[in-house]
Amino acid sequence: MSELKQTSLYQKHLELNAKMVDFGGWEMPIQYQNLKEEVISVRERVGVFDVSHMGEFYVTGPQALDFVDYIVTNDIRTAAPGKAIYSPMLNEQGGIVDDLIVYKVSDTELFICVNAANIEKDFSAMSQFSSRFDCKFENLSQNYSLLALQGPQSYQVLKELLPEIKDIGYYSIQILESEKEVKSFIARTGYTGEDGFEIFGSHNFIERLWSLMMNKSVQPCGLGSRDVLRLEACFSLYGNELNDELTPLETGLKWTVKMAKGDFVGKDALAESIPRYRLVKLSLEKGIPRAGYPVEDDRGQQIGVITSGSMSVCLGKGIALARLDKNLYQDSEKLNINIRNKIYPAVVNKKPFISGRTKS
Amino acid sequence: MSKIIDGYLYTEEHEWIHVEGETATIGITDFAQSSLGDIVFVELPEEGEELEAGNSFGVVESIKSVSDLYTPLTGKVVEKNSTVEETPENLNEDPYGGWLIKMSVNDSNQLDSLMDSNAYKEFCESL
């Protein structure tokens, strides 16, 4: 096995006695002392995640916007400068190569943040198209560290550490003018369903910021609590809910597909495709669903599979996302989950388990 | 340092076994509850079920993980601790008080392969 990559905060995680795991080739903290405490801190106060393993691409030049708008399904063109836009990027067959966030500094300068495990795949897929546009396309992942500060007290804490920040709106960004080593910025985004910020900056800057946050008793949080939090908010995880074989129309991401905008990679395939699956939110009174468990209808026929499952810390019961076969699922509100050959009843939820907590 | 009780027997899967006459009481150790983290679900076999040494007899789940429970003995389940199924979080507080099952011991030779408290202590330290 090749050597695991480490983020600039690796030593700090060890000093905090974090339990480290291999996550997509990176040696990352899965949890510090107590996963439940980490989840509660983010929901009630504030917590910070080292997500420096994620990838940062940088697009500049006269046709930077045209290029980025062409490689993703969401509409980057009409978004105002200073906005962040969540979007899938597709292959020519309409399958999801990755889900990512575009940070539109201006029409001629955009950042793209991609999943750690997909950095090489995405960069190579995007590079196929960048030469058609008058723009410069760079992978700056090695120059950047990234923190996610999440929870209702995020703004208050960050403002004390970085007085220059403004009370920007959800999915907005602000360039940190005081940082000169690399172009640094904050975005009011996250993967927890709470208010919060992601802070992109140099390794030095992020290390300093991390230490300051620790001094302020911000709870360090690992990938374990991050996964519980994102599942409570019903955010998809690439590799679980999303992959190269599935289209956004089959994974609950129709809202990110703007067929009315100009051409984009995968558009033709998508226009002709018939969705085969539906992603649903399930909760159980008893039993804990896990990825891979079969989902059955009331006649015992398997109609789908759990893609992510966990005990919800906030609800105190099992929750899951499940991919169901569209032809077999008859819109029933009640389904069964087969857990070790025992049947546990589950309810289909219309809304995320946690919602309405981000800044408007 | 995790708690280990003298006079009990232990497995490498971090179960404890307390033998009284022809009945063995089985639970998970302090080391096990500590590495699992918050325990949120326990599934146990029904009374009367026949268990075979080395096989899984149930599961204990934390928020993020599922771990099988293994019996080192062959025998019949004589009692299960329903309280633990209802309040699994108590296993974190008191793993030795929160026993899981009582079972009959068909072959007492199977006890010979288990660790005593000193051997288990050394085993934990080696991990």
Side-chain angles (χ1 to χ4, degrees):
Chain A
M1 205 184 87
S2 63
E3 197 146 296
L4 293 177
K5 290 176 274 217
Q6 297 168 352
T7 73
S8 61
L9 298 172
Y10 178 74
Q11 282 303 329
K12 302 207 184 287
H13 300 318
L14 296 189
E15 286 163 23
L16 289 163
N17 286 319
K19 194 173 176 184
M20 306 296 285
V21 295
D22 174 2
F23 182 84
W26 290 79
E27 196 173 355
M28 299 297 291
I30 184 95
Q31 76 178 65
Y32 295 83
Q33 272 66 54
N34 184 304
L35 185 143
K36 202 169 167 180
E37 276 308 309
E38 294 175 22
V39 171
I40 292 168
S41 293
V42 169
R43 291 274 176 246
E44 296 182 355
R45 296 177 296 276
V46 61
V48 63
F49 303 82
D50 175 18
V51 281
S52 302
H53 57 315
M54 297 189 76
E56 292 82 12
F57 299 160
Y58 188 46
V59 190
T60 47
Q63 291 188 314
L65 176 64
D66 298 325
F67 165 57
V68 177
D69 195 61
Y70 181 68
I71 55 172
V72 303
T73 61
N74 211 334
D75 187 353
I76 311 301
R77 207 174 294 278
T78 57
K83 292 302 283 183
I85 306 103
Y86 172 80
S87 182
M89 74 172 279
L90 307 183
N91 55 36
E92 297 282 13
Q93 294 73 44
I96 303 170
V97 177
D98 202 0
D99 66 328
L100 49 84
I101 295 181
V102 174
Y103 301 89
K104 184 176 178 178
V105 180
S106 71
D107 288 359
T108 56
E109 182 183 23
L110 302 97
F111 284 90
I112 305 172
C113 182
V114 304
N115 282 302
N118 292 338
I119 295 175
E120 281 80 26
K121 179 181 82 166
D122 292 0
F123 192 73
S124 127
M126 292 178 185
S127 296
Q128 285 185 284
F129 305 106
S130 60
S131 54
R132 300 188 197 169
F133 297 86
D134 183 7
C135 69
K136 190 174 170 193
F137 177 50
E138 299 165 87
N139 177 2
L140 299 186
S141 303
Q142 295 196 356
N143 304 351
Y144 278 87
S145 280
L146 172 59
L147 292 183
L149 183 72
Q150 302 281 296
Q153 296 173 7
S154 300
Y155 176 68
Q156 186 190 324
V157 167
L158 197 60
K159 180 79 182 170
E160 284 173 33
L161 301 178
L162 301 172
E164 72 187 281
I165 70 156
K166 298 192 193 81
D167 195 6
I168 55 175
Y170 190 48
Y171 268 74
S172 293
I173 68 170
Q174 181 189 343
I175 303 291
L176 299 173
E177 303 292 350
S178 59
E179 275 307 305
K180 306 290 181 208
E181 195 178 330
V182 299
K183 185 138 197 168
S184 306
F185 62 98
I186 59 163
R188 205 152 197 170
T189 49
Y191 198 43
T192 62
E194 292 298 322
D195 188 17
F197 294 84
E198 290 176 301
I199 306 126
F200 295 79
S202 69
H203 305 307
N204 286 326
F205 171 60
I206 294 298
E207 276 179 67
R208 268 200 327 273
L209 207 53
W210 174 274
S211 297
L212 291 170
M213 288 177 187
M214 291 305 110
N215 291 343
K216 286 202 166 291
S217 302
V218 174
Q219 171 72 49
C221 298
L223 297 179
S225 54
R226 186 171 157 85
D227 194 51
V228 174
L229 288 156
R230 71 95 190 165
L231 189 55
E232 287 180 340
C234 293
F235 294 146
S236 286
L237 172 64
Y238 196 86
N240 285 39
E241 283 73 37
L242 318 176
N243 65 48
D244 297 285
E245 307 289 324
L246 300 167
T247 75
L249 308 179
E250 298 171 325
T251 51
L253 293 177
K254 193 177 178 187
W255 64 277
T256 65
V257 179
K258 302 294 151 72
M259 294 303 277
K261 76 167 190 173
D263 197 17
F264 62 85
V265 181
K267 186 178 183 179
D268 293 345
L270 214 52
E272 289 168 13
S273 79
I274 299 159
R276 299 158 294 176
Y277 304 103
R278 240 181 93 178
L279 193 70
V280 298
K281 311 165 183 73
L282 299 175
S283 62
L284 294 77
E285 288 310 317
K286 192 167 180 287
I288 305 170
R290 308 285 182 186
Y293 288 177
V295 180
E296 302 175 351
D297 62 16
D298 52 10
R299 291 169 303 164
Q301 184 187 18
Q302 182 174 350
I303 60 166
V305 66
I306 302 290
T307 50
S308 295
S310 176
M311 181 69 156
S312 165
V313 170
C314 298
L315 277 65
K317 58 183 181 183
I319 58 168
L321 293 172
R323 179 164 64 241
L324 304 184
D325 189 312
K326 252 191 146 202
N327 294 323
L328 299 176
Y329 176 50
Q330 310 293 341
D331 282 322
S332 161
E333 282 174 25
K334 292 197 168 89
L335 295 171
N336 293 316
I337 301 177
N338 186 324
I339 303 179
R340 296 176 293 271
N341 293 320
K342 278 191 203 167
I343 296 303
Y344 289 81
V347 175
V348 179
N349 290 250
K350 296 270 177 276
K351 284 184 181 168
F353 308 108
I354 291 288
S355 62
R357 301 165 72 99
T358 50
K359 191 178 160 70
S360 54
Chain B
M1 191 55 228
S2 68
K3 187 176 160 188
I4 297 170
I5 294 185
D6 287 335
Y8 283 23
L9 298 169
Y10 298 88
T11 69
E12 293 191 355
E13 286 82 31
H14 304 282
E15 282 105 7
W16 56 259
I17 296 98
H18 183 213
V19 183
E20 290 167 298
E22 286 174 0
T23 305
T25 305
I26 301 180
I28 60 166
T29 66
D30 194 28
F31 184 96
Q33 72 77 17
S34 162
S35 27
L36 280 164
D38 290 295
I39 296 170
V40 292
F41 190 79
V42 175
E43 191 176 274
L44 299 174
E46 297 303 324
E47 282 166 28
E49 219 169 286
E50 297 282 354
L51 304 182
E52 198 168 327
N55 287 358
S56 162
F57 70 83
V59 295
V60 51
E61 300 194 38
S62 66
I63 294 168
K64 292 292 298 167
S65 71
V66 185
S67 304
D68 278 301
L69 296 161
Y70 293 98
T71 169
L73 309 171
T74 299
K76 190 185 275 190
V77 179
V78 293
E79 197 180 345
K80 71 164 179 170
N81 188 352
S82 306
T83 314
V84 143
E85 285 186 312
E86 283 151 26
T87 52
E89 61 278 10
N90 290 354
L91 279 180
N92 288 115
E93 297 295 319
D94 187 9
Y96 294 98
W99 58 277
L100 302 174
I101 57 166
K102 292 181 195 287
M103 65 182 290
S104 62
V105 183
N106 290 3
D107 178 3
S108 57
N109 290 331
Q110 288 175 338
L111 298 170
D112 297 344
S113 60
L114 301 175
M115 291 178 274
D116 65 13
S117 57
N118 284 328
Y120 180 61
K121 185 167 178 262
E122 276 177 37
F123 175 71
C124 287
E125 281 165 359
S126 73
L127 297 175

